[in-house]
Amino acid sequence: MSQAGTLILIMSIAVLAPLLAYGISRRLPVPLVIFEILLGILVGPDVLGWAGDGQVIDTLSDLGLAMLIFLAGYEIEFDKVRGDTLRRSLWAWLIALVVGLTLASALTGLSKGVYLGTALTSTALGTILPVLRDAGHLHTRFGSVMMAFGAVGEFGPIIAMALLLSGRSPGRSTAVLAAFALLTAAAVWWAMRPRPPWFPRVIAKTLHSSGQFAVRLVVLLLAVMLGISQALGLDTLLGAFAAGLLTRLVLHGAAPESAGPVLEKVEAMGFGFLVPVFFVVTGIEFDLDALLSGGRALLLLPVFLLLFVLVRGLPVYVLAPRDLVPRDRRALTLYASTALPLVVAITTIGVDDGVLKTDEAAALVGAAMLSVLLFPLAGLRLRGEKRVVEEPLGGSESW
């Protein structure tokens, strides 16, 4: 099939997936991403063989992943991700990294263990946020804690990828990361400077016109940060995450009254087009034959699924804030153990570098897809889908 035909098929799936999710949600709240991936597998080369690949499709998929990470970075509320909760989330991820690298290296060898161990520490914050938002849990105490642990679980592996998977020496990788950090700090300084009076007026005036100044500025910030990370030889996901943080600072600092409507427009562009393309293409490119044809790969799938909970989830459970009730701690563990986008990115790098075999990558991605299907559902049931407890105003630094 031509690339144009494949794109039409992908967008048809993007339209069909929410209809299926809505129809089934009355009985079982299955995350939308599951339908997108499964339908992608269905039309992919290992089942119906309707969908092909190509440069245009791959580029749109890469942009979808970048937009997903960008939106995850934007959602982080700095006034809530701080203090004791942030320290706990950092320690939980560092412990997960050490345990993940150790276990993965023991199972598969050191070279593969670096890739697999790093992937085991990730949290699919961009995938979890829509689930929390739709359930009414995002702007609660639980949502704030999940935001902190999820943000570190999203950002930490990206840093680890830059240090461990770049192919550079540790010293050079650290120097490159330091250069990126300095550039990002300069961008943060610029973002927090007072904007001239015309800035919020132009945003408000063009918000519902063809000008769309704010939306174009957001896209520019994303492009600049992606360009900087690529120029430094870093993974572009690092730039996408940083762009999300910067965009929030700019909009909420200069035009807080317009930040909400601008985000809605950016989310429409992301979740309405680019992000579904990424998840559908993930399904299309999933190597189902490699997973099903070899006994070892199929055996690895439940092992990896268990490791997501043991490596990533267990430290989160142990270090979760003490004010969370037991069922919220268990739900937090399951949400934090949910992984997919970074797993896809890391396994892709591993296969391209010739370190990971396709069946091993398929087993890990398959386990990540199961985590997206099983863990959020279990987390929702633990907390109760409609049980919403708003945070007290003012917050607490002891979080």
Side-chain angles (χ1 to χ4, degrees):
M1 181 180 290
S2 66
Q3 292 191 62
T6 299
L7 182 58
I8 292 173
L9 185 59
I10 289 173
M11 295 317 300
S12 298
I13 291 174
V15 171
L16 179 60
L19 295 177
L20 293 175
Y22 175 77
I24 294 179
S25 64
R26 300 177 183 180
R27 295 183 178 180
L28 190 66
V30 180
L32 174 62
V33 61
I34 291 300
F35 292 99
E36 294 169 343
I37 294 175
L38 290 181
L39 290 172
I41 293 175
L42 179 64
V43 303
D46 290 343
V47 184
L48 296 177
W50 292 351
D53 56 8
Q55 186 175 357
V56 173
I57 302 300
D58 290 342
T59 300
L60 289 175
S61 177
D62 291 342
L63 288 174
L65 176 57
M67 180 60 74
L68 185 69
I69 302 302
F70 168 86
L71 290 170
Y74 185 95
E75 287 282 2
I76 296 176
E77 301 179 30
F78 293 97
D79 57 334
K80 297 177 181 178
V81 181
R82 61 179 184 179
D84 183 61
T85 297
L86 181 58
R87 287 190 292 271
R88 288 173 178 271
S89 62
L90 287 169
W91 276 112
W93 182 80
L94 289 173
I95 291 172
L97 180 64
V98 173
V99 174
L101 292 176
T102 302
L103 289 179
S105 297
L107 285 173
T108 63
L110 181 59
S111 58
K112 294 180 181 180
V114 174
Y115 290 85
L116 299 177
T118 303
L120 290 172
T121 68
S122 67
T123 295
L125 181 61
T127 305
I128 292 299
L129 288 178
V131 177
L132 294 177
R133 185 187 297 109
D134 293 344
H137 298 165
L138 184 58
H139 299 291
T140 66
R141 167 69 174 127
F142 177 84
S144 298
V145 174
M146 183 62 235
M147 190 80 71
F149 280 84
V152 176
E154 193 94 67
F155 194 65
I158 295 175
I159 297 295
M161 288 168 64
L163 286 172
L164 302 176
L165 308 182
S166 64
R168 292 185 292 259
S169 65
R172 186 177 178 187
S173 295
T174 303
V176 171
L177 273 177
F180 181 83
L182 287 175
L183 291 172
T184 303
V188 168
W189 174 79
W190 170 83
M192 297 183 68
R193 291 188 63 191
R195 305 263 78 82
W198 58 263
F199 187 81
R201 289 199 300 267
V202 172
I203 289 179
K205 188 175 181 61
T206 62
L207 192 57
H208 302 289
S209 71
S210 60
Q212 298 292 329
F213 170 75
V215 176
R216 298 182 186 195
L217 179 62
V218 169
V219 175
L220 174 61
L221 286 174
L222 176 58
V224 168
M225 296 309 296
L226 291 177
I228 290 174
S229 59
Q230 188 175 42
L232 293 175
L234 298 170
D235 195 285
T236 53
L237 299 185
L238 185 60
F241 198 88
L245 301 176
L246 291 173
T247 300
R248 184 179 186 89
L249 290 174
V250 171
L251 292 180
H252 284 261
E257 67 285 346
S258 299
V262 172
L263 177 61
E264 290 177 0
K265 292 177 178 289
V266 176
E267 284 184 330
M269 178 172 54
F271 293 125
F273 175 40
L274 293 173
V275 174
V277 171
F278 164 70
F279 284 121
V280 175
V281 171
T282 297
I284 291 173
E285 296 180 346
F286 182 73
D287 197 343
L288 187 63
D289 281 347
L291 180 63
L292 299 180
S293 62
R296 179 175 179 271
L298 206 54
L299 288 174
L300 280 176
L301 191 148
V303 172
F304 285 140
L305 185 63
L306 178 62
L307 286 177
F308 279 128
V309 179
L310 294 179
V311 172
R312 178 64 180 135
L314 189 57
V316 170
Y317 181 84
V318 173
L319 291 171
R322 300 304 176 196
D323 63 319
L324 292 185
V325 297
R327 66 175 177 179
D328 281 357
R329 293 170 69 90
R330 292 193 292 270
L332 181 70
T333 300
L334 291 170
Y335 280 127
S337 303
T338 304
L340 184 59
L342 290 180
V343 172
V344 174
I346 292 171
T347 54
T348 300
I349 295 172
V351 172
D352 291 344
D353 290 346
V355 177
L356 294 182
K357 297 180 180 178
T358 56
D359 60 340
E360 295 167 333
L364 187 56
V365 173
M369 289 194 294
L370 284 178
S371 77
V372 172
L373 174 62
L374 300 176
F375 295 162
L377 290 179
L380 284 174
R381 290 191 176 278
L382 280 172
R383 299 204 73 237
E385 294 177 52
K386 297 183 179 180
R387 185 175 67 86
V388 179
V389 181
E390 294 294 335
E391 294 175 354
L393 296 177
S396 173
E397 177 63 24
S398 64
W399 294 2

